[in-house]
Amino acid sequence: MAEAILVVESPRDWRAAESPARVVAADDYLTDPAYATGAFHVINLCRSVRYQSTGYYCSLLAEARGHRVIPSVATIQDLSRKALYGYEIPALSALLDKLPVDRRVALPRQLHILFGQTTVPGFEELARQAFGAFPAPLLELEISSDRRLAVTALRSLAPRALTDGEHEDLPTALSAYMARGRRSRRRRDFRFDVAILVDPAEAQPPSDRGALRRFASVGRELGLDVEFIGARDFGRLAEFDALFIRETTRLGHHTYRFARRAEQLGLVVIDDPRSILRCTNKVYLAELLAANRIPAPRTAIFGEREITRLPDMLGFPMVLKAPEGAFSKGVFKVDNTGELAKRAAELLDESELALAQEFVPTEFDWRVGVLNRQALYVCQYEMAAAHWQIVKHESDGKFQEGGFRTLGVEAAPADVVRTAVKAANLIGDGLYGVDLKQTAQGLRLIEINDNPSIDRDVEDAVLGNELYRRIMAEFLRRLESRGQRRRPTP
């Protein structure tokens, strides 16, 4: 078990009579060989963590030594400039809108957060989420009420900036943080910790419960301690060695923030943020396929001025697509100029650009799963009954899916597999689902999906448990190839 140590530049920076962690001088931590080896959980309370300061080097060397540390270098960098932390401000500001009126009257201009806690009533959730996004021992949030309630700035706070009362509260906050970090273990013989991000309430998750249980079971057989986490566990990412996202990914969504943060922390990540960024935008994919001469339906990227040209370019019916969408959502078939004008206006209300494609009717879509540049599984997804897509979404939120047929990779048409792998390799070396249509004119690639569906008795119908084993073994391979040591627990 790792020993928690509280690193300070001066003993006077820790005013409490007692500490839940041993207090160590920063100079000793940096230079004493006793701290170069062994397992430590470093709580960096140095006066400054600016670039090349003593505090910065404490976090930097802690990571080099394989110690768990708060704040991480990635967090220090994120908090150094608003351009880096600004992406979290809208989500934090939205929490202020939920405050009751009586709390808004006594609104603090600066909110101090101690290990994710605050003593200001009503601001507990804001403190928790700010700490989850930027795990630093002490944070200060600036709050403005000029036009609307908003968080305007975040920064790491020095111990000297705390009030006497906050210094008294600090040991309790630290104890609570350390208690949260102690993950209970079923066994002690796991090599690495893997988090699987899921949303139990999601209507169409990438993996159903049966598949998730298999991922966990096979992972543990391989020596991976698998734990399912949710959106509220953002602040716990540093506890893990790898992150597997099994929740539908979107930009501007916590799934992307999880992927980005995990990558910054040095975790193995599937789906990695670059894959999410590339796959979720159909405009990008259209340009990528065209630039690499991969056959696709005739496609036009359009804005408001191009709408009237689309009938001559593509004819009717045609398919309109939102730049972002999953599971057949945000995709519309239009049969005439009236429907085109209506749907195009809806899409362009949300984005400056959208996508139009020729309509390519087929009885089924090919889906090829690709992992680390190799084909993993092949399925035929049939169209939903009396519908032109594999999923038919109803206005009440319900949906119908077509049937399926799963094939072994070796039993699938070679050109289908070859085209899918070539396309997926343009994105990266992660886990992808490539959709294609077989037409009289040849194959047409529809899209490349990060976060592809893997459900019990569907995608695994041929390989069975071997499908899950190959995916979890890829996590193990990547962890081992990094020479990564198992993260110590506090």
Side-chain angles (χ1 to χ4, degrees), residues 14-18 114 119 162-174:
W14 184 263
R15 299 184 189 176
E18 297 182 356
L114 285 57
T119 57
L162 299 179
T163 66
D164 291 341
E166 288 169 334
H167 273 287
E168 293 177 2
D169 295 332
L170 196 53
T172 301
L174 175 56

Side-chain angles (χ1 to χ4, degrees), residues 277-291 299-303 321-325 347-348 351-357 446-448:
L277 185 65
R278 291 177 171 179
C279 288
T280 54
N281 193 291
K282 294 179 173 61
V283 172
Y284 172 85
L285 285 177
E287 285 293 295
L288 182 70
L289 298 178
T299 300
I301 298 169
F302 70 92
K321 297 183 177 182
E324 292 187 41
L347 294 176
L348 294 177
S351 172
E352 290 293 324
L353 297 175
L355 203 71
Q357 287 184 330
I446 304 303
E447 62 185 12
I448 308 167

Side-chain angles (χ1 to χ4, degrees), residues 134-153:
F134 304 101
L138 309 177
L139 286 170
E140 182 178 77
L141 272 63
E142 286 190 8
I143 300 174
S144 171
S145 58
D146 292 343
R147 294 183 179 179
R148 59 179 293 270
L149 294 181
V151 174
T152 56

Side-chain angles (χ1 to χ4, degrees), residues 382-403:
E382 298 171 359
M383 300 300 123
H387 192 58
W388 58 280
Q389 293 172 287
I390 62 175
V391 181
K392 181 180 181 181
H393 293 277
E394 307 291 353
S395 58
D396 61 0
K398 295 180 181 179
F399 60 91
Q400 291 180 297
E401 295 180 303

Side-chain angles (χ1 to χ4, degrees), residues 29 202 216 251 254 305 310 326 451:
Y29 179 73
E202 188 173 7
L251 296 178
H254 69 261
R305 292 183 297 179
L310 295 177
N451 203 244

